Amino acid sequence: VQGIRGHGNRVFAVKWHDQDHNLLLSGGWDRTVRVWDMRVPESVKTIFGPYICGHSLDVRGNTVLAGTCTSEEQCNLYDLRSCNRLRILPLPIPDADIFSCEFVSNMPECAAISGSKGLACVMDTTTGHIVGEEKCATSAFCCSPHGGHHGTMVAFGCAGGYISCLAAQTKNPPFLT
């Protein structure tokens, strides 16, 4: 399928479903996340709300993670089946714009999140606790988590031309107990 039109403005993020290889999600400036079934020539579902300005869209099972470039309700979880919002994630920098967010492969409950004002963290999406945070001096425009047997490393691409990395623990970090 090529050249399917469905968004009303620029598209900044696309993400294949992690289990159903016929499903693709897309999001951008039109404040929608579209769900596409590659067997159908139009979107099959729409999530309304997220103003996506970077690679801030991910999906795991029936949970969609979407970050927005707005000063309120910037990072949200949605139910893929109903398209309803499940929860707003509390950020350590409350008014930061989200530029990138992604579920962490070996930490199923966690997401790496980056954005303006130095936002660079890994959050437990079920509790809202920060399990790893990097103090970036400038905006972090992208993030890439990498899971291993003993933990997770997350790289953040930041303004000023530098990369910052942090380690996030996978089992009950001592500062959360």
Side-chain angles (χ1 to χ4, degrees), residues 107 130-132 168-177:
M107 298 169 71
I130 301 299
V131 298
Q169 296 178 323
T170 58
K171 305 248 184 198
N172 299 321
F175 55 87
L176 293 181
T177 57

Side-chain angles (χ1 to χ4, degrees), residues 6-54:
H7 283 280
N9 211 318
R10 293 180 182 173
V11 175
F12 279 90
V14 292
K15 188 70 177 185
W16 289 103
H17 192 278
D18 64 325
Q19 298 166 3
D20 185 341
H21 302 292
N22 290 308
L23 293 184
L24 176 70
L25 283 73
S26 60
W29 281 359
D30 65 355
R31 294 187 173 272
T32 66
V33 171
R34 303 283 178 154
V35 181
W36 307 90
D37 184 326
M38 292 295 99
R39 299 165 291 194
V40 179
E42 58 193 27
S43 65
V44 294
K45 292 184 180 186
T46 304
I47 296 171
F48 294 96
Y51 180 67
I52 296 176
C53 298

Side-chain angles (χ1 to χ4, degrees), residues 70-157:
T70 59
S71 61
E72 296 178 351
E73 301 177 352
Q74 305 96 313
C75 204
N76 298 278
L77 295 175
Y78 294 89
D79 183 286
L80 181 62
R81 296 163 293 197
S82 68
C83 296
N84 292 328
R85 182 165 52 193
L86 298 171
R87 75 180 56 89
I88 301 168
L89 300 177
L91 297 178
I93 302 173
D95 58 345
D97 294 334
I98 305 300
F99 299 135
S100 181
C101 58
E102 185 175 338
F103 286 117
V104 179
S105 62
N106 69 326
M107 298 169 71
E109 69 287 349
C110 291
I113 304 167
S114 67
S116 66
K117 302 181 180 183
L119 176 63
C121 68
V122 176
M123 177 184 289
D124 183 318
T125 61
T126 59
T127 65
H129 290 120
I130 301 299
V131 298
E133 185 173 11
E134 184 65 19
K135 302 294 184 194
C136 294
T138 61
S139 293
F141 293 107
C142 56
C143 60
S144 179
H146 174 71
H149 294 294
H150 302 291
T152 295
M153 292 294 297
V154 182
F156 296 94

